[in-house]
Amino acid sequence: MRKTDIIVAMVKKRWIAVLCLMLAGCAGTAPSGSVTAASASASETAAEDTYDAYLKANQNRVSADSYTASVRSSYRMKFSDETYDVYGMDGVLEIMNLSADPTAHIEQHFDSNGMASSIDGYYYGGRLYNTYNGVKYYEDLSLQDLKGLMLVPMDPAVMMQDELNSVTVNTDEQGNTSYVLVPKDPASLFSGRYDFHDLGGYDDFEVKSAAVTDTFDQAGHFISEKAEFLVSFSYQGEVIETEYTGIIEYILPDETVVAISDEQKAEHAEYVSVPEIDTEAIETMTVDDDSPEATVADTFRKRLVSRLNYTETSDGIYRVEFNGTEAYVINFNNSTFEYSNYSIVYSYSWKGDVGSMGGCTYQFAADTSSSGCEDTTVETIRNVKKFLQMELYYCGLSLNDLQNETNQEG
């Protein structure tokens, strides 16, 4: 058996059909264990309070008319000979005018055990103008269909209390509230909500464990979900154990802008419809070195060059210029990201979560600034952190992961 047959097939399915999101549904039995009546009552009350808070967070979440979403998913497949294959996908969806005439930009990268594939498209007027492995085509899609292409659920999970083994809550330094959901029937949840590649169709399909973490910010926006499942199935007589992880993160609510030039629209007018695609022109997955490195930082370094056209100007320092006067500089030696416009330079330290410009310093966690800061300067410093987040998103990474890795290294 050729192990990569499974994940190559998963990629091939990607562009053939438009995938739509499905609502989660699951059922199960009551949790096991014995406690006294008094402690059981207190525990049940606490659980009900947490579940009610989670349900209200879903029901009352604040909608945005524009946003930027970063998605990542991975399937780490373990075979009987103790070897592994990995299929990964990362993408960014930028969308505006949701309530009227949505306009969006979609970009995705696929890695099938070292073999690369990519998608880049623009959506407006109910039509997606797409480039997939060198082929330029268009297809008419609903907004829901477009979101389905991201291959990760874009809305928070909603489950009834009797469908959960547990729900716990945590609040971080920024005031974001996370709910960790453990379902009673993980197979139903996975099949109904996360199984975009039909793993449930293989023999002996089983979900051994699951946890879903949904996070909301202080304003009530849904800002992230992380889903983790341990799945096993049989393929050509071999049992394959698979660790699935799916992540979505949102930033820039009501701030995202998608610009499409007249030149781009003129180019889109030359695209062919899906039935007219010349299948002989479709490029196979390449062996471009886009696969993850051992660390977040090393992966970031690689993809800054391969995906975002940065230049390594000296050891550990990467730079890109744009618009004639602006530049980004990422310095891995001191964990800083700089944005410059003419001679003005704004700096953000992802290690300290601190931004600065001249004599102005802003502490993100505490939301405090030094006495020399003007409001416009603080606002730009906040934006600089978002610029870094976007660079990471386009490299299939997250700022939280980079910060955690950097701080663990000391």
Side-chain angles (χ1 to χ4, degrees):
M1 177 186 66
R2 183 170 174 265
K3 295 174 183 176
T4 53
D5 284 349
I6 303 171
I7 44 184
V8 168
M10 290 162 65
V11 174
K12 287 181 178 178
K13 288 179 182 179
R14 166 62 179 79
W15 74 278
I16 295 172
V18 175
L19 299 171
C20 295
L21 298 179
M22 297 169 284
L23 295 176
C26 41
T29 57
S32 60
S34 61
V35 292
T36 64
S39 62
S41 176
S43 176
E44 288 168 2
T45 299
E48 288 174 1
D49 290 345
T50 302
Y51 176 79
D52 287 345
Y54 148 75
L55 192 60
K56 288 177 181 177
N58 276 284
Q59 293 172 338
N60 300 328
R61 74 180 191 269
V62 177
S63 298
D65 200 46
S66 68
Y67 59 74
T68 295
S70 165
V71 301
R72 302 184 296 283
S73 67
S74 67
Y75 298 79
R76 188 170 187 264
M77 299 179 174
K78 179 182 178 181
F79 296 87
S80 57
D81 60 0
E82 299 297 317
T83 60
Y84 292 86
D85 277 358
V86 178
Y87 165 71
M89 182 278 297
D90 66 82
V92 176
L93 177 64
E94 299 165 280
I95 191 164
M96 62 182 288
N97 295 335
L98 279 163
S99 61
D101 185 18
T103 299
H105 173 234
I106 180 175
E107 182 174 319
Q108 288 174 287
H109 298 269
F110 302 86
D111 179 74
S112 177
N113 217 42
M115 299 177 69
S117 182
S118 64
I119 279 175
D120 190 7
Y122 286 91
Y123 178 82
Y124 53 96
R127 176 170 289 181
L128 175 65
Y129 298 89
N130 211 15
T131 301
Y132 172 74
N133 280 16
V135 172
K136 300 179 185 297
Y137 66 95
Y138 70 82
E139 56 182 331
D140 294 320
L141 301 175
S142 68
L143 180 59
Q144 192 70 6
D145 290 337
L146 179 70
K147 293 165 65 177
L149 292 177
M150 301 308 291
L151 302 179
V152 170
M154 299 193 70
D155 296 311
V158 180
M159 288 178 276
M160 301 301 293
Q161 188 169 9
D162 61 3
E163 296 171 335
L164 294 166
N165 269 334
S166 65
V167 53
T168 54
V169 61
N170 300 290
T171 302
D172 66 17
E173 293 179 349
Q174 286 73 42
N176 302 319
T177 303
S178 298
Y179 299 92
V180 182
L181 314 170
V182 178
K184 291 179 180 177
D185 188 351
S188 293
L189 179 61
F190 183 80
S191 297
R193 180 172 166 85
Y194 301 97
D195 192 14
F196 287 92
H197 295 297
D198 300 324
L199 296 187
Y202 290 99
D203 294 337
D204 305 316
F205 173 76
E206 179 184 4
V207 179
K208 298 182 176 180
S209 65
V212 177
T213 303
D214 284 347
T215 302
F216 301 82
D217 67 13
Q218 286 183 302
H221 297 106
F222 169 60
I223 59 171
S224 72
E225 178 173 281
K226 182 176 183 179
E228 300 171 285
F229 290 82
L230 180 60
V231 177
S232 68
F233 59 90
S234 296
Y235 179 72
Q236 295 185 358
E238 181 173 7
V239 176
I240 301 169
E241 192 169 83
T242 302
E243 297 173 6
Y244 165 81
T245 303
I247 299 171
I248 183 164
E249 296 179 355
Y250 286 95
I251 62 169
L252 302 176
D254 293 318
E255 297 179 29
T256 297
V257 176
V258 180
I260 306 173
S261 68
D262 290 340
E263 290 78 10
Q264 287 175 305
K265 290 183 178 180
E267 181 183 348
H268 296 158
E270 302 299 320
Y271 286 23
V272 301
S273 65
V274 172
E276 297 176 296
I277 290 175
D278 178 6
T279 56
E280 295 299 320
I282 300 174
E283 300 170 4
T284 57
M285 291 183 294
T286 69
V287 291
D288 297 336
D289 188 13
D290 192 56
S291 59
E293 295 295 316
T295 67
V296 175
D298 285 345
T299 303
F300 195 24
R301 290 182 188 221
K302 175 198 287 187
R303 292 176 178 172
L304 282 172
V305 175
S306 63
R307 292 190 185 184
L308 302 181
N309 299 315
Y310 278 69
T311 299
E312 186 174 13
T313 58
S314 59
D315 185 34
I317 300 176
Y318 295 75
R319 179 185 177 89
V320 67
E321 297 180 1
F322 52 97
N323 296 334
T325 63
E326 299 173 271
Y328 290 162
V329 175
I330 300 177
N331 188 330
F332 289 92
N333 302 320
N334 59 15
S335 305
T336 59
F337 171 80
E338 291 184 353
Y339 163 69
S340 64
N341 192 349
Y342 290 103
S343 61
I344 302 174
V345 178
Y346 297 83
S347 180
Y348 170 71
S349 166
W350 66 77
K351 184 174 183 178
D353 199 27
V354 177
S356 63
M357 195 286 288
C360 171
T361 301
Y362 177 73
Q363 302 277 349
F364 280 86
D367 189 20
T368 58
S369 58
S370 60
S371 58
C373 292
E374 296 181 0
D375 290 345
T376 54
T377 303
V378 171
E379 184 61 28
T380 304
I381 290 172
R382 288 186 182 131
N383 287 334
V384 169
K385 180 177 180 179
K386 294 173 184 176
F387 297 161
L388 175 60
Q389 283 182 288
M390 286 302 302
E391 299 299 87
L392 283 157
Y393 283 167
Y394 274 113
C395 291
L397 304 166
S398 78
L399 179 56
N400 283 339
D401 289 344
L402 180 63
Q403 288 175 315
N404 290 338
E405 179 180 272
T406 302
N407 290 329
Q408 286 173 2
E409 292 172 351

